[in-house]
Amino acid sequence: NTKNSVFKRPHCRRYNMYVDFRKVDWDTWIVAPPGYDAFFCQGECPYPLAKHMNATNHAVIQNIIHSKNPARVPAPCCVPIKHSAISMLYLDRDKKVVLKTYQDMIVESCGC
Amino acid sequence: TSSLTELPQGKTTPSLTREPGTKLAKDSEDSSKGSAKLDKDAEIIKKLEESLLNSFGLDEKPNVDKSQVKIHPYMFQLYNLKVKENLEEAEEVSEDRRESKASSKFTPQAILANTVRSFTHIESPEDKFHPEHKMLFRFDVSSIPAREILQGAELRINYSPPPSVEKILETYDKDTISNLHVNRRKWSKNELIYLTRINVFDVVRPSKGSRDHVHRLIDTSVIDVRMNSTVSLDVSPSLKRWLSKPQTNYGFYVEVNPLKFDSSVVKDASHVRLRRSISQDDDAWSEKQPLLIVHTDDPKLAKREKR
């Protein structure tokens, strides 16, 4: 619910989001970790775009066009621009121990 | 459903209050609508879960209880190593450092592959018929999906000093032993009595008659019986064949031979943990038993190209 939360902050940035495997009953087969910090991105990309907003050249162009004609072109979105991996130790359906590394599971930074 | 039953009396529709029969029918209709909504929600949650599991490379949620399965400590070691690697990668280690990591001695496959599986020997009544210094290991690797590409496989066998050597060790200087361990190639003639060779053979054709079997030597290693350690043998060629032709999975034959048999202090293979000793309980054995580690690359989990 974005109405009553901190997400009202206008600028694009990273927020905490912890994924707890116990809450979805996945702790029966996932050995480690018990959960992880996934994070998410939220916020606006206002004109002009500040350097810390990690904007792409395209976002800068879209932002300029949007400032001239907001009805036709939307403002750039706040999205994850850098991810990192997590490793999971779990049991497969044959009760075999598996260690897998999943890419792009954690948001490292957000940008426009 | 609960919100429907808690409606105030005045707010009930006239038709429901006038005709009890109809009310029941209406209630049951509302209830069925409510349950239909719940069913729909459950269905959506199920589909979301399926989608998430699919992105994890799984067809369905494994219906297992982790408390019932003994996990080898080596898998936890690998897990901790991977976690450390992920953290370093997140902190953007320099390319030079990444290269030096990849060429390090410590299980290069573990660094490059995105999936590691462990397998234990399928025990059979025939195990006891093998001589003490030989053992046929069978592993069920059918759970490895066909899409995964083999990066490497190792058979890990534990060994520890037998009691006869432990007595001799009491008279030894510990520094001398560690030096010997590091400089593995500098053995004096007197020390050869402590060396044991472990051979691992790929069973290309199992024994049907007395001598028609075909065993191919795939790796060998010399161990120092004074050490308490683990030997890792490369069994990748066998795994490559097993994964392409599962019907040719006849297992590995492991043989333990003292290097200098006549004067060796260890004439049996009890110091190498090929099989469970009578006194060993489940917990102790699960930590010491031979382990097959298979490193694969799951293309489904390959990192997407950066923008």
Side-chain angles (χ1 to χ4, degrees), chain B residues 21 52 63 88 94 101 125 133 141 158 161 165 171 180 182 186 191 196 201 229 256-257 261 267 277 281 286 290:
Chain B
L52 193 56
N63 189 19
E88 280 178 2
S94 68
K101 264 194 336 176
H133 67 291
V141 294
N158 280 288
V165 173
T171 60
L180 289 169
V182 175
K186 293 178 182 175
E191 287 159 353
T196 295
F201 297 88
S229 186
V256 178
N257 288 321
F261 192 81
K267 297 248 184 324
S277 62
D281 60 16
S286 69

Side-chain angles (χ1 to χ4, degrees), chain A residues 47-105:
Chain A
Y47 178 81
L49 284 164
K51 199 182 175 186
H52 70 268
M53 287 190 183
N54 303 315
T56 60
N57 289 340
H58 180 270
V60 174
I61 303 289
Q62 188 175 333
N63 203 297
I64 294 167
I65 308 283
H66 168 72
S67 67
K68 301 290 175 199
N69 192 350
R72 284 198 67 179
V73 178
C77 298
C78 175
V79 290
I81 57 161
K82 202 175 148 198
H83 295 90
S84 62
I86 63 160
S87 293
M88 271 167 50
L89 188 66
Y90 66 88
L91 302 174
D92 67 9
R93 62 182 166 192
D94 299 317
K95 294 184 180 176
K96 295 282 186 291
V97 186
V98 184
L99 171 64
K100 276 205 182 208
T101 302
Y102 296 95
Q103 298 295 336
D104 302 339
M105 293 287 281

Side-chain angles (χ1 to χ4, degrees), chain B residues 3-249:
Chain B
S3 65
L4 285 169
T5 52
E6 283 163 15
L7 271 173
Q9 199 65 33
K11 289 201 175 179
T12 8
T13 51
S15 62
L16 291 179
T17 47
R18 270 201 305 268
E19 294 169 85
T22 323
K23 180 182 182 294
L24 275 174
K26 184 76 178 170
D27 274 354
S28 117
E29 197 181 308
D30 287 344
S31 161
S32 66
K33 269 184 189 173
S35 65
K37 193 180 177 299
L38 284 176
D39 286 348
K40 203 179 171 187
D41 285 351
E43 203 178 313
I44 290 167
I45 290 166
K46 202 182 166 192
K47 279 190 177 169
L48 279 170
E49 190 177 55
E50 274 173 18
S51 161
L52 193 56
L53 285 168
N54 195 261
S55 67
F56 282 163
L58 298 164
D59 303 328
E60 57 185 356
K61 190 168 128 179
N63 189 19
V64 290
D65 183 1
K66 69 182 179 193
S67 60
Q68 301 294 312
V69 181
K70 298 262 187 283
I71 296 162
H72 199 280
Y74 182 64
M75 287 305 278
F76 282 108
Q77 275 179 37
L78 282 181
Y79 169 74
N80 290 330
L81 183 80
K82 288 275 182 187
V83 169
K84 201 177 160 192
E85 258 176 52
N86 295 337
L87 283 172
E88 280 178 2
E89 202 174 314
E91 286 167 11
E92 284 190 320
V93 287
S94 68
E95 283 301 312
D96 294 343
R97 204 174 152 201
R98 224 177 273 179
E99 273 171 22
S100 68
K101 264 194 336 176
S103 61
S104 71
K105 270 187 175 180
F106 188 73
T107 59
Q109 298 95 332
I111 291 162
L112 298 171
N114 63 20
T115 305
V116 187
R117 285 185 172 79
S118 69
F119 299 90
T120 50
H121 164 58
I122 309 161
E123 288 184 10
S124 135
E126 289 172 13
D127 290 353
K128 61 186 172 191
F129 297 118
H130 294 291
E132 195 188 5
H133 67 291
K134 287 181 178 176
M135 179 75 182
L136 177 69
F137 289 105
R138 299 293 302 267
F139 298 96
D140 177 13
V141 294
S142 58
S143 61
I144 301 175
R147 68 170 184 274
E148 293 188 13
I149 304 151
L150 182 74
Q151 295 291 326
E154 55 176 325
L155 181 66
R156 296 178 62 83
I157 299 171
N158 280 288
Y159 59 92
S160 50
S164 57
V165 173
E166 275 173 1
K167 279 180 190 169
I168 298 166
L169 283 179
E170 285 170 11
T171 60
Y172 261 75
D173 177 16
K174 278 181 184 175
D175 292 337
T176 318
I177 294 165
S178 67
N179 284 337
L180 289 169
H181 182 63
V182 175
N183 304 317
R184 271 183 172 266
R185 290 173 191 274
K186 293 178 182 175
W187 298 101
S188 68
K189 279 184 181 177
N190 295 336
E191 287 159 353
L192 288 176
I193 56 170
Y194 300 111
L195 299 184
T196 295
R197 182 177 288 282
I198 300 181
N199 297 323
V200 58
F201 297 88
D202 178 11
V203 181
V204 181
R205 195 168 65 195
S207 165
K208 284 176 189 168
S210 55
R211 290 186 176 204
D212 58 350
H213 62 261
V214 178
H215 292 173
R216 185 170 55 126
L217 180 69
I218 48 173
D219 200 9
T220 184
S221 184
V222 175
I223 60 163
D224 179 356
V225 298
R226 292 168 293 181
M227 301 297 161
N228 195 343
S229 186
T230 305
V231 60
S232 171
L233 299 150
D234 184 6
V235 291
S236 309
S238 305
L239 260 292
K240 199 175 177 185
R241 203 187 69 240
W242 295 358
L243 294 178
S244 59
K245 292 178 186 170
Q247 69 275 14
T248 61
N249 178 354

Side-chain angles (χ1 to χ4, degrees), chain A residues 17-63:
Chain A
M17 180 177 77
Y18 183 75
V19 179
D20 192 341
F21 294 136
R22 280 171 302 181
K23 289 196 175 172
V24 285
D25 284 337
W26 281 18
D27 60 329
T28 52
W29 57 280
I30 297 177
V31 180
Y36 77 103
D37 286 305
F39 302 102
F40 69 95
C41 299
Q42 179 88 21
E44 288 177 9
C45 299
Y47 178 81
L49 284 164
K51 199 182 175 186
H52 70 268
M53 287 190 183
N54 303 315
T56 60
N57 289 340
H58 180 270
V60 174
I61 303 289
Q62 188 175 333
N63 203 297

